[in-house]
Amino acid sequence: MKYGFPLLALIALSACSNEQEVDSGKPADHADYVVIGKSVNTRQEWSGEQKMLNTVFFAEIFQTKDAIAAGGTVMNGVLTGPGKANAGLPFDMGEARYLTGGRTETIEQLDTIFPDATYYFSFDTPDGGIDNMPATFTRDGDESLNPGPISLTLSQGGKIADPAAIDPDQDLLVTWSPFIKGEADDDKIIDDMIYAMFGNCMGQETVHSGHAFDEGSLTYRASNFTISASALNPGQSHMLEVEHSNMETDIYQDIEIIVTYAASTFLDLQMTGENTTNPECPVIPMAFDGGANDRIRGGQ
């Protein structure tokens, strides 16, 4: 009996220690995954003609759902690396910690200021920081890994639809040209992705096919996406975007790293009927994505 109390105390201390181990966090509890990429943005006219808009270098730190619910817990994000990133580029403090490194007219110009090399993510969380997480751009010889321009086709009720006269009472089927460079991920982290996005005339994104790692999101295997008629506003303009994302992947301290070579095509749409809900709606829709830099940016 004289050993009873010390034994109970030892058990209590052990339980407390185990509880502390369970409760102790790590940066991966706050940062879900990171993305760094180079994207080529294209405008498709109603005639079907396409023109390049710009190329852009960007990086994002996606926070976990718990981190977002807590008001954002990934802080002081900085990207360092060669070229323009040499002095360090700070991340925006929005829900997706984000940065862009400026836009150029060609990938070759972009490569001059942001060479294909290794860049480093650093940031703080309440459960420790990440210092110099590496993300590396590679090349296949002299060939760019960015997908080619994406051609978009619209249909409603089984018939080709005119982007200048979309029926707001029917679902809209968006079909795109094949993602030729898309493939499965050898590391089985995430396959090459396709994103379909749709916004209203005020530059607010109202439909998204699903982000990376979201259940049901589109991979390179997908050829189309349906936008519900409920998202179409009679008599108003809208904007459509489809992105093909060629990805290289890695993991660092349980945080997934995606290096992407992407291409996006933007297409304006006009609904038939009478606009009775938004008299301020512009004839040319505002952009919900900065890649459409030939449009006024809205939704802010």
Side-chain angles (χ1 to χ4, degrees):
M1 292 294 295
K2 68 178 181 178
Y3 296 106
F5 178 76
L7 180 60
L8 290 175
L10 182 61
I11 293 173
L13 286 172
S14 176
C16 180
S17 175
N18 290 337
E19 183 177 350
Q20 288 177 347
E21 290 179 6
V22 171
D23 291 342
S24 63
K26 55 187 178 180
D29 295 330
H30 304 269
D32 195 1
Y33 62 98
V34 301
V35 178
I36 188 170
K38 296 180 180 182
S39 183
V40 179
N41 297 304
T42 300
R43 163 69 58 192
Q44 181 169 319
E45 304 290 356
W46 287 349
S47 65
E49 179 185 359
Q50 293 189 328
K51 62 179 181 180
M52 180 181 287
L53 296 175
N54 59 77
T55 67
V56 64
F57 174 92
F58 65 94
E60 299 180 61
I61 305 169
F62 286 85
Q63 301 182 94
T64 63
K65 292 181 180 179
D66 287 343
I68 293 171
T73 56
V74 173
M75 309 297 289
N76 305 318
V78 176
L79 183 77
T80 55
K84 195 175 177 180
N86 183 59
L89 300 173
F91 284 86
D92 180 80
M93 294 298 288
E95 181 175 303
R97 306 317 204 205
Y98 185 81
L99 68 83
T100 57
R103 300 183 186 276
T104 64
E105 294 183 356
T106 67
I107 281 291
E108 290 73 22
Q109 291 174 343
L110 195 66
D111 289 343
T112 299
I113 57 177
F114 291 104
D116 284 339
T118 300
Y119 294 78
Y120 300 91
F121 290 79
S122 298
F123 53 86
D124 297 325
T125 80
D127 291 306
I130 291 291
D131 293 317
N132 296 325
M133 173 194 295
T136 303
F137 287 94
T138 58
R139 292 184 70 86
D140 184 11
D142 293 331
E143 181 183 1
S144 170
L145 296 181
N146 286 83
I150 307 160
S151 296
L152 305 180
T153 303
L154 309 177
S155 58
Q156 290 184 302
K159 298 180 180 179
I160 295 297
D162 181 354
I166 299 296
D167 183 354
D169 295 322
Q170 295 191 63
D171 291 347
L172 178 65
L173 180 67
V174 181
T175 305
W176 44 81
S177 51
F179 188 176
I180 296 174
K181 294 187 177 182
E183 59 184 10
D185 183 10
D186 291 338
D187 295 328
K188 302 187 183 304
I189 295 173
I190 187 170
D191 293 342
D192 293 341
M193 296 287 295
I194 293 177
Y195 308 101
M197 295 151 278
F198 186 76
N200 62 23
C201 61
M202 307 307 291
Q204 298 166 323
E205 184 185 285
T206 57
V207 178
H208 197 294
S209 60
H211 296 279
F213 303 108
D214 284 353
E215 184 177 353
S217 56
L218 305 178
T219 72
Y220 70 97
R221 301 174 184 86
S223 61
N224 58 69
F225 180 74
T226 299
I227 297 171
S228 170
S230 62
L232 311 180
N233 299 308
Q236 297 182 23
S237 59
H238 295 70
M239 181 178 289
L240 171 67
E241 176 187 1
V242 173
E243 176 184 333
H244 289 178
S245 182
N246 185 5
M247 298 175 168
E248 302 294 329
T249 61
D250 203 350
I251 293 180
Y252 183 89
Q253 293 189 28
D254 296 327
I255 300 172
E256 289 90 355
I257 300 169
I258 297 174
V259 180
T260 178
Y261 306 81
S264 286
T265 291
F266 298 89
L267 175 62
D268 292 345
L269 307 179
Q270 178 61 46
M271 305 299 118
T272 60
E274 183 180 359
N275 175 14
T276 60
T277 59
N278 184 7
E280 303 300 322
C281 181
V283 174
I284 298 176
M286 296 181 184
F288 56 82
D289 186 313
N293 66 337
D294 60 339
R295 300 290 183 260
I296 296 173
R297 186 72 186 269
Q300 303 299 303

